Amino acid sequence: MKKTICIALVAVMTLALLAGCGSSGPAETAAPAAALSGTVATDGSTSMAKVIGALGESFMELNKDVTFTYNPTGSGSGIAAVSEGRCDIGLSSRALKDEEKASGLRETVLALDGIAVIVNPENSVSDLDLETIAKIYTGEITNWSEVGGNDAAIVLIGREAGSGTRDGFESITGTKDSCKYRQELTSTGDVITTVSQNPDAIGYASLASVKDSVKALSVNGVAPSEDSVKDGSYLIQRPFVLVTREGSDLSAAAQAFFDYATSVDAAGIISAAGAVAVAK
């Protein structure tokens, strides 16, 4: 009998020990998650300034110990910067080329953006079709009177070689390497300012950056807007791209920003900045 009682007691104690190991009682509390800290360095497209600036500001408000930086150097420079490890995330307002992907770069489309064809507000022209825009930029049409405007020579303003906006505009209009620019400027802001100061100028700029100082033309009868970019009826549009390196992990802070920027939570911020978010 004593032997039977001892065996039973051992069994009960064993079960109690096993139960204790398999449960977390009220005395056990999970360790608090460490606050996110560090820096997130981005570099590239000047057309993405408004969108990336809004996202960076919102992200820092949510993560007080993170510093977000943006270097507006242009798409080509941003792609080179991430390839060379000089920033965490590159920013491009064009899709990556096959050779860039082959070199180990990866693109993630953040948003879609219309490329607005802009003129001075004093210009009476309000709509041009894609073919006419191409003829203007290649020098086949040289006077505003040929398209219903004043008798004045057309002044062609564009972006510098390597610009994502230029690449997108020339690719869509079929004018690659054949545009007769009067001026090739290094930022979206410079194009807008130059066109706003010259009643005979025409230029192109990110829809997200267009101000009241210039007039955006309709293209083939369709005005550039978030809705017309989203439904594809506005023909001159391109992607806003986040560029990272294949096989290279981002820092915790940079990965958190990447995840935030591409999430549905950021869609409203992107929309408010004038672009069309692609996150569902």
Side-chain angles (χ1 to χ4, degrees):
M1 175 66 73
K2 289 183 180 180
K3 184 175 181 181
T4 302
I5 293 172
C6 287
I7 292 173
L9 286 172
V10 170
V12 170
M13 291 174 66
T14 302
L15 288 171
L17 287 171
L18 288 173
C21 292
S23 64
S24 55
E28 296 181 14
T29 57
L36 193 65
S37 63
T39 61
V40 182
T42 64
D43 190 307
S45 171
T46 62
S47 297
M48 293 176 66
K50 193 172 180 181
V51 169
I52 207 68
L55 288 172
E57 183 177 347
S58 175
F59 184 72
M60 285 193 292
E61 288 176 358
L62 296 171
N63 300 278
K64 302 297 186 183
D65 295 326
V66 174
T67 300
F68 179 90
T69 64
Y70 160 55
N71 191 18
T73 60
S75 296
S77 295
I79 291 168
V82 72
S83 179
E84 297 165 5
R86 292 186 282 110
C87 70
D88 297 305
I89 301 170
L91 308 171
S92 176
S93 51
R94 65 165 174 80
L96 290 182
K97 299 174 182 178
D98 290 341
E99 58 266 29
E100 291 166 340
K101 293 178 181 178
S103 72
L105 296 181
R106 176 176 57 196
E107 69 175 36
T108 302
V109 177
L110 174 68
L112 299 176
D113 177 56
I115 300 176
V117 179
I118 57 173
V119 296
N120 188 281
E122 296 178 16
N123 197 317
S124 61
V125 175
S126 59
D127 179 81
L128 295 171
D129 60 40
L130 205 60
E131 182 180 2
T132 300
I133 293 169
K135 288 180 178 180
I136 288 173
Y137 267 90
T138 56
E140 187 175 340
I141 294 174
T142 60
N143 194 291
W144 282 112
S145 63
E146 298 177 68
V147 293
N150 295 329
D151 182 13
I154 301 173
V155 179
L156 300 178
I157 308 299
R159 289 292 304 278
E160 82 287 5
S163 158
T165 310
R166 173 169 168 167
D167 183 85
F169 174 81
E170 292 184 353
S171 296
I172 294 166
T173 58
T175 59
K176 201 164 184 63
D177 300 324
S178 58
C179 291
K180 309 297 184 183
Y181 296 113
R182 171 78 65 84
Q183 288 180 271
E184 299 178 36
L185 304 174
T186 58
S187 76
T188 295
D190 287 344
V191 172
I192 292 171
T193 298
T194 301
V195 172
S196 73
Q197 295 173 348
N198 188 334
D200 302 323
I202 186 172
Y204 50 79
S206 166
L207 176 60
S209 301
V210 170
K211 303 175 182 178
D212 292 339
S213 59
V214 293
K215 180 172 72 174
L217 300 180
S218 296
V219 177
N220 288 51
V222 178
S225 68
E226 180 177 342
D227 288 340
S228 62
V229 170
K230 185 181 296 184
D231 66 22
S233 59
Y234 184 74
L235 298 178
I236 308 179
Q237 59 173 279
R238 44 66 188 280
F240 278 169
V241 173
L242 302 181
V243 184
T244 52
R245 288 182 291 171
E246 293 278 7
S248 179
D249 292 337
L250 293 171
S251 68
Q255 185 64 57
F257 172 77
F258 183 96
D259 293 341
Y260 173 70
T262 55
S263 72
V264 294
D265 293 335
I269 296 170
I270 293 171
S271 178
V276 179
V278 298
K280 303 296 183 184

